[in-house]
Amino acid sequence: MKTIIEPFRVKVVEPIRMTTREHREAVLQRAGMNVFLIDARDVLIDLLTDSGTGAMSSEQWAGVMRGDESYAGASSFHRFYDRLHDLTGMKHILPTHQGRASERILFEIVGGDGKVVPNNNHFDTTRANIEYSGAKAVDLVIEEGRVPQSRHPFKGIMDLYRLERLFEEVGPDKIPLVMLTITNNSGGGQPVSLENIREVRRVCDKYHKPFFFDACRFAENAYFIKKREPGHGDRSVKDIVQEMFSLVDGATISAKKDGLVNIGGVLLFRDAELAARARNLLILTEGFPTYGGLAGRDLEAMAQGFEEVLQEDYLQYRVRSVEYLGERIRAGGVKIVEPPGGHAIYIDAASFCPHISPEEFPGQAVVCALYRHAGIRAVEIGSLMFGAGGRRPDMELVRLAIPRRVYTQSHIDYVIEAVLEVYDERDKLKGLQITEEPQQLRHFTARLQERE
Ligand SMILES: *Cc1c(COP(=O)(O)O)cnc(C)c1O
């Protein structure tokens, strides 16, 4: 059989509320053309993010009932610890309430004025936490990773030449650690090859620096290694995951992605001294080290999620349904970041509406049009998200992020039809201007209006 089906059946359903175009137009105006400010009940298909929006399995829900809510030393913590230890080999494993809490703690320890942190592409919260500490966040993805149409199989890889040059230019003392985001979310959900991970390790060894993953989508990354990198096709995804983590000194993880849970994060260290400092900060703002700002039931759900995400029929279905969405809209003429990433399709908004300049947020214009036309909520990843203070991002993208195990093939077909219908009317899209802008992470709360 060639057809790939959802490798699960539905046990609980949640209705979607159908809305009219007039209703959505009013909602959009009230929200200041910012879809983060729209109520979920006004959304038909929510592709805002794949973070924390997945469906848990019956085994995860059973774990929720088993959760041990003891303050210290809960058995749920031990199940969580054992699972993460098995996957990563790390000794020090701290639960946090989500990925950015791990980042905040890590960069409070290693960041600070004058420091420079390289990454393939920093995710927005990672960049914000680094900059908040006073340090500088530098993106060193390879050239192909900045070109939407390039079909490099591992577009998320670090440019090793630029990494070494950065070490020489700013000096190793200024660089507290090297990070690698797997898969590279801000660069289009593109994977990093095992070979590149090994090479970054080599550079870190040369300068005696720790190497950390931003490992939110480690399972999807490992699946791409299995499928695309020569020599790994016969290995299990779990085996690849274990090798990936064997090459790093620590990681921040948002469990809201490949942890298959709605809330949770992890902070991992090999080094006892760094871990001890992190644990103190964890106690200060998150909670005792055996629960870290979560309930025991959340730890149970994570322990089970980190196991289920490695099932290869799940990963095949996941990667294929994202790819299918990409293939179909590409066939209709829409330019996307090639090849399709693991968790999302990224529409190239600059080529979708070339009549709108980056200062007028072409990505946000497409986002608003998709909502208005079909009730689909996507997110801009371009000048609105990254362009504060005159910065110019490499690409103007619109991300259609696919929640895990939530939508079926017919939902995806609806999205395809909507994207293509908006594309047919693309000449009518209007640029936007900001009317209200906050200090940090402006895309979450800024208000905009359409230009005439
Ligand atoms: C989601 C994400 C984060 C932040 O995690 P939260 O759980 O949202 O705080 C960091 N890095 C990457 C690559 C992410 O995708």
Side-chain angles (χ1 to χ4, degrees), residues 382-400:
S383 286
L384 181 58
M385 184 179 275
F386 290 120
R391 239 193 315 255
R392 177 60 58 85
D394 294 326
M395 298 186 266
E396 298 291 340
L397 303 176
V398 170
R399 185 181 74 180
L400 305 169

Side-chain angles (χ1 to χ4, degrees), residues 51 98-100 103 123 125-126 181 185 214 216-217 254 256-257:
S51 178
Q98 63 182 85
R100 70 197 68 183
E103 294 163 1
F123 182 66
T125 61
T126 322
T181 304
N185 187 357
D214 176 342
C216 296
R217 297 177 184 79
S254 168
K256 300 169 71 171
K257 286 76 176 241

Side-chain angles (χ1 to χ4, degrees), residues 217-375:
R217 297 177 184 79
F218 66 93
E220 290 168 10
N221 198 89
Y223 185 73
F224 281 119
I225 289 174
K226 179 183 167 91
K227 289 289 154 189
R228 294 184 185 169
E229 192 164 350
H232 301 291
D234 294 333
R235 298 176 70 182
S236 70
V237 170
K238 181 173 174 180
D239 189 39
I240 296 170
V241 166
Q242 287 169 327
E243 183 177 350
M244 283 160 45
F245 279 102
S246 76
L247 294 162
V248 292
D249 302 295
T252 57
I253 304 181
S254 168
K256 300 169 71 171
K257 286 76 176 241
D258 278 352
L260 300 179
V261 290
N262 305 115
I263 196 73
V266 196
L267 178 56
L268 303 113
F269 296 97
R270 228 176 267 292
D271 181 68
E273 195 258 334
L274 273 182
R277 290 168 64 194
R279 220 172 266 121
N280 287 334
L281 289 174
L282 185 80
I283 294 171
L284 202 61
T285 59
E286 291 280 301
F288 191 71
T290 62
Y291 72 84
L294 294 167
R297 54 181 169 268
D298 297 324
L299 298 174
E300 284 287 343
M302 269 203 267
Q304 179 64 24
F306 280 121
E307 168 82 13
E308 289 176 9
V309 77
L310 300 176
Q311 287 166 9
E312 298 189 17
D313 52 1
Y314 159 74
L315 285 165
Q316 180 189 33
Y317 136 78
R318 166 106 185 121
V319 168
R320 179 58 198 148
S321 67
V322 173
E323 188 180 55
Y324 168 80
L325 168 59
E327 281 170 3
R328 297 291 295 272
I329 63 174
R330 183 207 298 134
V334 177
K335 291 217 165 43
I336 60 168
V337 173
E338 303 278 1
H343 67 291
I345 291 299
Y346 294 70
I347 294 172
D348 178 1
S351 79
F352 198 102
C353 30
H355 60 291
I356 301 177
S357 71
E359 294 78 31
E360 297 186 344
F361 311 116
Q364 192 65 9
V366 175
V367 166
C368 290
L370 282 174
Y371 178 73
R372 188 180 268 140
H373 187 68

